[in-house]
Amino acid sequence: DLPIIAMTANAMKGDKELCLAAGMSDYVAKPIDPDNLYAVLTRWMPSVAVTAETSEPAIGPSPSAPPPTEKFPFLPGIDTQAGLRNMGGNSALYWDILSKFTHNQREACRTMTDLLAAGEWSPLERTAHTLKGIAATIGATDLRDAAQKIEQGTGSGMGRERLRLLIQQASEHLEPLLVTLDGAIPKQPEVVVMAEEDGTTDMATLTPLLRQAADHLFHFNSDVDSVVQKMEALAKSRLDRDYLIKIKEFLEGFDYEAALQILRQWAEESGVRLEQTGNG
């Protein structure tokens, strides 16, 4: 039988048992620990004999040999060793993710405050979920825990005042973290970009890409990145570019579900029917 390994955004007690009860062979939780992922995959991959023609096993290096890591500065509020481990020891990638975090999550707590005031429960839960996931990825464990409490509280119908306090607590972790990262992230030379004029998008060419991207997002297929790159060259109207920017922001946070929701809104407004993306 083909093994099926579940990947979930939660690492709550009982999650593994629920996945196994649903028929999964094994389970990994985000943020993905490369060593743990390798160990789980190795456990379920068929054994491959080493022949005389090759001296290396087919499935790669031993997980006992950690990836090389560069010296990383101390960043208050962040477990940089955990963050680097999540990046496979790639320091440049880690800096890039930290930079995207400061850009994409800077207004997260203000956004949640506004959503709470408006009673927008699903967007509030999704915003907390995204913040939790990227905070876990970079090693900001206190912020991750705070965002998880908001997500769980929203989903369980917690009262507004308690949620307000939880968002305030999350902000107390996020704000100093942003100050630290703003001072630590290597500055890139500023590039002056002229504002693009509003144009007309060739929907006949864009439509199949919208459908392809929706299918990739629905199946959590990372090939969506290359499709989005093709879409960038075609999105000429300001409205289409705005939708594309939102989708890219969610992709940077690995939130495929939120990206798919935005893409569905874009398709609906453009009169494009999406097939086989679980939206009925």
Side-chain angles (χ1 to χ4, degrees), residues 7 28 33 38-39 42 46 56 68 97 124 141 156 174 178 192 202 205 232 239 257:
M7 181 178 72
V28 291
D33 181 320
Y38 182 91
T42 302
E56 296 183 358
I97 296 298
L124 172 57
T141 52
S156 63
L174 176 61
L178 291 171
V192 178
D202 180 358
T205 306
E232 283 188 272
L239 178 64
E257 293 173 337

Side-chain angles (χ1 to χ4, degrees), residues 44-144:
W44 291 99
M45 290 180 70
S47 299
V48 179
V50 179
T51 66
E53 287 76 18
T54 175
S55 59
E56 296 183 358
I59 55 176
S62 166
S64 62
T69 58
E70 302 174 28
K71 185 176 181 181
F72 211 85
F74 170 71
L75 299 175
I78 298 181
D79 182 347
T80 55
Q81 291 303 306
L84 273 172
R85 188 167 58 249
N86 291 337
M87 306 297 150
N90 188 327
S91 182
L93 175 61
Y94 193 22
W95 278 122
D96 183 53
I97 296 298
L98 288 171
S99 178
K100 289 174 178 175
F101 170 83
T102 64
H103 174 71
N104 296 333
Q105 300 303 317
R106 187 173 297 274
E107 301 297 323
C109 289
R110 294 184 184 90
T111 297
M112 289 191 289
T113 297
D114 292 342
L115 291 171
L116 176 64
E120 297 285 347
W121 306 114
S122 293
L124 172 57
E125 186 175 9
R126 186 170 63 251
T127 302
H129 172 84
T130 300
L131 178 61
K132 177 194 71 174
I134 192 62
T137 298
I138 66 173
T141 52
D142 288 341
L143 179 59
R144 175 205 64 195

Side-chain angles (χ1 to χ4, degrees), residues 9 13 27 34 67 74 82 87 175 179 217 238 246 253:
K13 183 178 180 181
Y27 155 95
F74 170 71
M87 306 297 150
E175 294 305 321
V179 172
L217 288 170
R238 288 196 182 96
K246 292 177 183 177

